[in-house]
Amino acid sequence: MDSLTQIVLGAAVGEAVLGKKIGNRAMLWGAVAGTIPDLDVLTRFFADTVTAIEWHRGFSHSVFFSILFAPVFGWLVWKLNKKQTATFKDWSLLFFWGMFTHPLLDAFTTWGTQLFWPFNIRLAFQNIFVIDPLYTIPFLVCLILAMTQNRTSEKRRKYNRLGLILSSSYLVLSLILKAVSYQKFTKSLAKQGISYNAMDTRPTPFNTILWTANIDTSDSYLIGNYSFFDSKEIEFTSYPKNHELLGRLKDNDKIKRLVAITEGWYTITEKDGALFFNDLRFGLMSLNKDEEKFAFTYQISELNNSIEVTEMPKFKTDARKLFSALFQRIGGN
């Protein structure tokens, strides 16, 4: 999830663990703990593109990381706050739950997380977008209300508990909505006589009303959108796989790793002699049925007998294009 959401979750967890003893300091250090796993983004400054993608939400988002570093951070903060009533064990528990709930929440997003690192298992339930105001805003309001109360106040605990309950309930609701939308997609495919090998569904940005599906067919992928306010049949747009365009590059180590990262959900396009690797898991840059640009695209270049993979930049115009159609499409087809 986004940084603000992880800060709010970490602060709420810190309050639940240690708020009664140290008040708002528990929220502060809980927010710090909830931010620590995302420091893995710094790898982009000293690792190549493919390696940085592999490391993102890897080791730092694992149970192992939380268990290993909770007592380390706990000891450091305990040494800084020895005058407080909180013990070394208290601080260690705060950091464990603050760091552990971070990847636990990330597991519900499209990117997912390697919660059980070093095992190569990425959990991605794909039932919530990385930024969802309906998850974050009520949670934040409850946290602020709790923050304004005395540390021993029963209201403080009730507000914090309410925030945790509301956010967790929304996650459960999003799983239910995902299941319902999945059934809508399967029924529509059957009605249209479309045979397929696999289907992958996820919510569109900032909501859980409009869902999108990637459909794996023999030589192409179909992409369709479904809103709970739709009244017409789902339309699917075809995108050729073009995997053969890779040629001998398909045996290159970096390309194999990219394919593994996408779990096979990718297309290859060629433009002006250059090859582009498109990650289908995060969809297109807009909801236009003629859209060809994907949210995550990597240019494949061959230089001095080595392969370079470069992520294509995103622009403000791309975001405006998405926003202009998103809310209109949420309202139904």
Side-chain angles (χ1 to χ4, degrees):
M1 297 290 283
D2 64 286
S3 298
L4 174 61
T5 301
Q6 294 292 6
I7 286 172
V8 172
L9 175 61
V13 169
E15 168 63 24
V17 174
L18 211 50
K20 195 172 182 179
K21 280 189 176 183
I22 62 172
N24 287 341
R25 286 188 183 88
M27 290 188 182
L28 172 63
W29 287 109
V32 171
T35 304
I36 289 172
D38 272 345
L39 293 178
D40 64 357
V41 297
L42 298 176
T43 58
R44 70 179 65 175
F45 296 110
F46 57 85
D48 65 87
T49 300
V50 178
T51 302
I53 297 171
E54 289 175 326
W55 285 356
H56 183 48
R57 294 192 181 179
F59 168 62
S60 69
H61 285 64
S62 65
V63 180
F64 178 71
F65 179 88
S66 298
I67 293 172
L68 181 65
F69 284 99
V72 175
F73 291 119
W75 181 82
L76 289 171
V77 177
W78 174 63
K79 295 292 284 186
L80 291 172
N81 295 271
K82 271 200 168 182
K83 292 182 180 180
Q84 299 293 327
T85 55
T87 65
F88 162 63
K89 180 181 178 182
D90 290 332
W91 285 113
S92 297
L93 284 173
L94 182 147
F95 273 92
F96 171 78
W97 288 110
M99 293 189 296
F100 174 66
T101 52
H102 177 123
L104 198 61
L105 177 58
D106 278 345
F108 291 95
T109 66
T110 298
W111 192 279
T113 183
Q114 287 182 271
L115 196 63
F116 302 113
W117 185 97
F119 299 104
N120 190 24
I121 302 171
R122 183 175 290 275
L123 293 182
F125 299 117
Q126 301 189 78
N127 57 289
I128 191 169
F129 189 68
V130 292
I131 303 174
D132 193 323
L134 284 180
Y135 178 91
T136 307
I137 293 176
F139 203 176
L140 177 60
V141 169
C142 290
L143 185 68
I144 293 172
L145 289 172
M147 192 185 302
T148 61
Q149 303 297 313
N150 186 280
R151 67 182 175 86
T152 58
S153 169
E154 183 60 29
K155 277 188 177 181
R156 183 183 179 98
R157 288 192 292 278
K158 284 183 177 179
Y159 284 136
N160 193 62
R161 193 180 305 123
L162 178 61
L164 289 166
I165 291 171
L166 287 175
S167 58
S168 299
S169 298
Y170 184 71
L171 276 183
V172 173
L173 174 63
S174 66
L175 285 168
I176 295 171
L177 295 176
K178 179 181 174 70
V180 174
S181 66
Y182 184 89
Q183 290 300 316
K184 293 290 185 180
F185 282 117
T186 55
K187 288 180 181 179
S188 183
L189 288 166
K191 187 175 181 179
Q192 296 180 52
I194 299 173
S195 59
Y196 60 97
N197 303 316
M199 178 165 59
D200 191 51
T201 64
R202 63 190 181 278
T204 55
F206 317 117
N207 77 104
T208 50
I209 300 299
L210 179 62
W211 293 74
T212 188
N214 292 341
I215 315 297
D216 180 9
T217 65
S218 57
D219 57 357
S220 65
Y221 291 106
L222 306 180
I223 297 180
N225 297 305
Y226 168 74
S227 167
F228 286 101
F229 296 112
D230 279 357
S231 57
K232 300 177 183 178
E233 196 63 55
I234 299 173
E235 292 185 11
F236 295 96
T237 304
S238 178
Y239 296 86
K241 294 181 178 179
N242 292 331
H243 292 176
E244 70 280 357
L245 291 178
L246 286 172
R248 59 185 177 79
L249 295 181
K250 70 179 186 299
D251 296 321
N252 179 269
D253 177 65
K254 285 185 179 179
I255 303 302
K256 285 183 176 180
R257 288 155 62 196
L258 264 183
V259 172
I261 289 168
T262 64
E263 298 180 343
W265 293 98
Y266 72 98
T267 65
I268 303 296
T269 51
E270 186 176 12
K271 185 178 181 180
D272 299 328
L275 286 180
F276 297 90
F277 186 105
N278 307 298
D279 188 338
L280 268 65
R281 295 173 301 156
F282 305 98
L284 296 151
M285 287 305 303
S286 78
L287 299 177
N288 190 319
K289 67 178 181 179
D290 298 320
E291 180 64 72
E292 296 181 349
K293 186 177 180 181
F294 287 86
F296 284 90
T297 294
Y298 306 91
Q299 182 174 352
I300 302 170
S301 306
E302 193 169 6
L303 184 65
N304 298 326
N305 295 321
S306 66
I307 299 298
E308 295 294 329
V309 175
T310 308
E311 182 177 345
M312 300 304 293
K314 300 174 185 60
F315 305 99
K316 289 183 179 180
T317 53
D318 295 327
R320 286 198 294 266
K321 190 165 55 174
L322 174 62
F323 278 122
S324 64
L326 179 63
F327 294 104
Q328 181 180 351
R329 183 61 186 86
I330 287 174
N333 60 7

